[in-house]
Amino acid sequence: MAYWLIKSEPSSWSWSDQVKKKITHWDGVRNFQARNYLKQMKLGDLCFFYHSVVGKQIMGVVKVASSFKDDPTDSTGKFGMVDMEYVSPLENPVTLEQIKKTAQLQDLSLIKQSRLSVMPVTNAQWDCIIAMSK
DNA sequence: GCCAACGTTGGC
DNA sequence: GCCAACGTTGGC
């Protein structure tokens, strides 16, 4: 099983929206690198849900609830989406500031490629962030 | 609200 | 196929 981190601006789709709705289409990705990662996702893979711009912190965990499929909001047919299902909140959100200060997390794409909206997370990085949330 | 970073588009 | 122009993202 793989781990990922997905970003959303709370003004368009927030963690509390996700908690309420439980399961949602993760559509609107218009970046090839992000799309390629979406494509690699497997059913049951876990993802951190990160609030960009407002909050700048990891709020909780969701899981991949469908494999890669057509994005109905994309008329070009180049992009796609998966479904994301609510799993659990973090006990305490982990902020971008904390992540930047943590030596083991310096390779996280969140830091190196701030514009990428879907990125892989290693087992070690996952465990580290979970530990920080306790 | 600004601006740096960077991905995408389109003209050549 | 290159690269300048442009648009968008997201941290500050």
Side-chain angles (χ1 to χ4, degrees):
Chain A
M1 187 185 69
Y3 295 118
W4 310 91
L5 184 149
I6 56 175
K7 302 203 297 196
S8 183
E9 282 198 42
S11 55
S12 53
W13 182 255
S14 73
W15 174 245
S16 58
D17 292 332
Q18 183 76 44
V19 171
K20 256 180 277 170
K21 187 101 185 288
K22 298 293 181 199
I23 189 159
T24 189
H25 290 329
W26 203 262
D27 59 14
V29 171
R30 296 291 183 271
N31 168 287
F32 290 108
Q33 204 180 348
R35 182 206 60 175
N36 290 340
Y37 288 136
L38 284 182
K39 236 182 200 172
Q40 292 170 31
M41 288 183 179
K42 299 242 174 5
L43 229 61
D45 279 359
L46 294 177
C47 312
F48 283 131
F49 186 112
Y50 175 79
H51 270 177
S52 62
V53 184
V54 180
K56 284 172 284 178
Q57 55 191 0
I58 297 170
M59 302 299 294
V61 175
V62 293
K63 72 177 175 191
V64 178
S66 83
S67 51
F68 191 76
K69 58 188 176 182
D70 288 343
D71 179 348
T73 68
D74 172 35
S75 55
T76 68
K78 289 183 193 164
F79 298 97
M81 64 176 192
V82 298
D83 290 343
M84 285 296 177
E85 185 179 357
Y86 167 79
V87 174
S88 65
L90 293 187
E91 274 180 48
N92 301 292
V94 175
T95 65
L96 180 61
E97 198 187 353
Q98 287 175 274
I99 290 168
K100 283 187 167 172
K101 279 194 281 194
T102 305
Q104 304 96 291
L105 298 177
Q106 294 307 301
D107 289 334
L108 195 62
S109 310
L110 191 64
I111 297 176
K112 304 201 323 196
Q113 258 181 293
S114 65
R115 294 187 54 192
L116 187 61
S117 61
V118 178
M119 66 196 73
V121 175
T122 66
N123 287 14
Q125 289 165 344
W126 182 273
D127 292 343
C128 180
I129 290 168
I130 291 291
M132 288 163 72
S133 72
K134 306 274 187 207

